[in-house]
C-alpha cells in the first residue's frame, strides 16, 4: 500500500487525501499546530503529531500550501526527511515557488 502524506490538510489537501484513501492508499496528514477547523476538514485522514512523523511514513509527500509559503514548506519537508532518514517523492501542488 502506498502512503501519501498531505502537508496542509485544509479543504483542498484533505479532499486530495480522501481521494487517495478511496483509491486504496493510506493518507496521513500533519495536524500539529492546526486549528480544530482544519482537523475537522481532515476527517478520513490519519493525523500525525509532527511533520517528521508524516514524512517518515510516506512514500509520496504532497505540499498543498499557498504559493507564498511553498518554498518555506519545501525546506521544512527536506529537513523532516533528513531528520528521519527518508527520501520520499515530493510534489508541490499549489502554484510553484516563484516570485
Amino acid at each position: 500500500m502506498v502512503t501519501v502524506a498531505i502537508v496542509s490538510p485544509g479543504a483542498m489537501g484533505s479532499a486530495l487525501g480522501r481521494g487517495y484513501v478511496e483509491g486504496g492508499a493510506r493518507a496521513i496528514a500533519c495536524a500539529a499546530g492546526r486549528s480544530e477547523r482544519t482537523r475537522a476538514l481532515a476527517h478520513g485522514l490519519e493525523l500525525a503529531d509532527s511533520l517528521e512523523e508524516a514524512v517518515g511514513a510516506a512514500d509520496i509527500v504532497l505540499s498543498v500550501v499557498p504559493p507564498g509559503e511553498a518554498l518555506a514548506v519545501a525546506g521544512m519537508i527536506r529537513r523532516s526527511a533528513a531528520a528521519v532518514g527518508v527520501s520520499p517523492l515530493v510534489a508541490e501542488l499549489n502554484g510553484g515557488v516563484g516570485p
Side-chain angles (χ1 to χ4, degrees):
M1 174 184 294
V2 172
T3 299
V4 179
I6 307 294
V7 179
S8 197
M12 193 164 31
S14 293
L16 282 169
R18 282 190 296 281
Y20 281 104
V21 169
E22 289 174 13
R26 174 183 177 212
I28 185 169
C30 177
R34 302 308 307 255
S35 69
E36 286 305 314
R37 176 186 172 275
T38 297
R39 288 174 178 267
L41 286 171
H43 72 275
L45 307 182
E46 212 176 300
L47 296 180
D49 291 326
S50 69
L51 185 58
E52 288 84 3
E53 180 184 349
V55 170
D59 301 298
I60 302 167
V61 178
L62 303 179
S63 175
V64 188
V65 300
E69 297 177 28
L71 191 56
V73 170
M76 292 168 49
I77 293 168
R78 180 187 55 77
R79 288 186 296 278
S80 294
V84 295
V86 297
S87 298
L89 175 66
V90 178
E92 194 285 311
L93 301 180
N94 226 9
V97 295

